[in-house]
Amino acid sequence: MSDEPRAPTDPSSGLADLFKVPQQMFAQFMPQVTGQEASPADLSQWAENGHQLQAMWFEFQQEQALKAMQNPPAMLTDPAQWLALAQGWFGMLPLANPETQRRLMADSQALWEGVLGLYGIGPKAAAAGQGAPELPRKDRRFGDPKWR
């Protein structure tokens, strides 16, 4: 028997071949069904059902989109409500409060200087220690001299 793929003689045989792998995979869960081949009529019915389901879903989505366009949320149509919502959002930003903004800037600068200090550069380099950084020498993973 040749391993070369053969051209199907009728279009439904391609569909039957498509379902052989899932049938074999699920046969272990349903041994009483093993060996039954799907008929082309069954496969066509499944394909038709799939097309109908897809058409119904598309129609439902169209209806929902049309409803949303005809009745937009009140927030989007009333400028006063939209501006009140936007004002609330901007009020929660850290830049709106000068004290919060100053604290955010100071924390960011301290973090950045600390990171630079670990690499021996920046204003905190001297505070990080002279020479190599202290490693957890008791941890066996850092026992190799290459870590120093």
Side-chain angles (χ1 to χ4, degrees):
M1 190 177 227
S2 168
D3 286 339
E4 295 179 18
R6 57 184 172 81
T9 54
D10 70 64
S12 62
S13 69
L15 287 174
D17 290 342
L18 181 68
F19 285 98
K20 282 186 181 178
V21 172
Q23 285 174 346
Q24 291 170 355
M25 185 170 58
F26 289 111
Q28 62 183 336
F29 302 113
M30 299 172 43
Q32 70 275 13
V33 184
T34 306
Q36 293 181 358
E37 293 283 330
S39 70
D42 290 339
L43 297 175
S44 323
Q45 185 61 43
W46 275 102
E48 180 61 33
N49 290 345
H51 288 297
Q52 287 176 353
L53 181 62
Q54 184 180 17
M56 288 170 46
W57 182 253
F58 183 70
E59 183 180 329
F60 171 75
Q61 291 296 328
Q62 278 184 323
E63 289 173 7
Q64 296 302 311
L66 286 175
K67 284 180 188 176
M69 288 173 54
Q70 291 170 355
N71 301 319
M75 179 190 70
L76 299 177
T77 58
D78 185 9
Q81 287 185 357
W82 188 88
L83 288 174
L85 181 65
Q87 185 177 11
W89 285 344
F90 288 125
M92 289 187 275
L93 291 175
L95 302 178
N97 184 348
E99 178 56 32
T100 305
Q101 184 179 9
R102 188 199 60 74
R103 195 170 5 110
L104 179 65
M105 188 66 173
D107 291 348
S108 300
Q109 184 176 0
L111 177 65
W112 180 246
E113 288 175 356
V115 169
L116 289 178
L118 292 175
Y119 290 101
I121 54 178
K124 293 189 178 181
Q130 311 299 344
E134 188 63 33
L135 295 175
R137 306 260 185 235
K138 294 177 184 169
D139 191 338
R140 64 178 177 79
R141 295 176 295 173
F142 299 103
D144 192 340
K146 292 177 185 175
W147 281 102
R148 295 178 187 85

